Amino acid sequence: MNEKKALPDNHKRSLSVTARHIEQGIREIELLLLNNNPDNATSTKESLTSVIKNLNNEERASILDLIKYLKIENEKMIKDLNLPKEKLYEDRIVRGRLSHIWALLVDSTPKGLKGYGELNSNQAEVLDSYINKLLDIVYKLQAIIK
């Protein structure tokens, strides 16, 4: 590598994180702008996220064109500065996401939501039913990847 482009390892690690965030942002923007679903960026009907498409086709195309250049320059920086790649293991990613989902669900039980006020027994039973079904699925998912 050119001596002018040589950076200390600490700087490389930090820039590597920056480059990964740029990659992720680019992926999210492309997914959003290339998604043909008029209402949602998700694939399910019962989603709590609705994306309102308010960019016209010309704006969308201009953004996508510039995103290509952002991607090229980011990749050039990665290569030229010899930034380290992060190795991710899919089982660890899945475990982490499932653990986060589990924590959210446990905090969403009637007991976990006491700070928001009391629920009557009927309301608590209905909520418990939904949360327990979701937790059962999470437990089954966790069992697959032990």
Side-chain angles (χ1 to χ4, degrees), residues 124-136:
E125 189 177 307
V126 168
L127 181 55
D128 264 338
S129 172
Y130 284 109
I131 297 300
N132 287 333
K133 284 177 189 174
L134 294 169
L135 280 169
D136 284 344

Side-chain angles (χ1 to χ4, degrees), residues 40 42-48:
N40 290 313
T42 61
S43 61
T44 62
K45 289 182 182 179
E46 299 302 323
S47 174
L48 291 174

Side-chain angles (χ1 to χ4, degrees), residues 82-94:
N82 195 28
L83 300 180
K85 294 183 187 264
E86 180 182 29
K87 292 179 183 169
L88 301 173
Y89 296 89
E90 68 182 343
D91 65 327
R92 292 178 185 172
I93 295 169
V94 172

Side-chain angles (χ1 to χ4, degrees), residues 101-113 119 127-128 131:
I101 292 169
W102 176 86
L104 289 170
L105 289 170
V106 168
D107 289 345
S108 298
T109 62
K111 192 175 186 176
L113 293 173
L119 295 173
L127 181 55
D128 264 338
I131 297 300

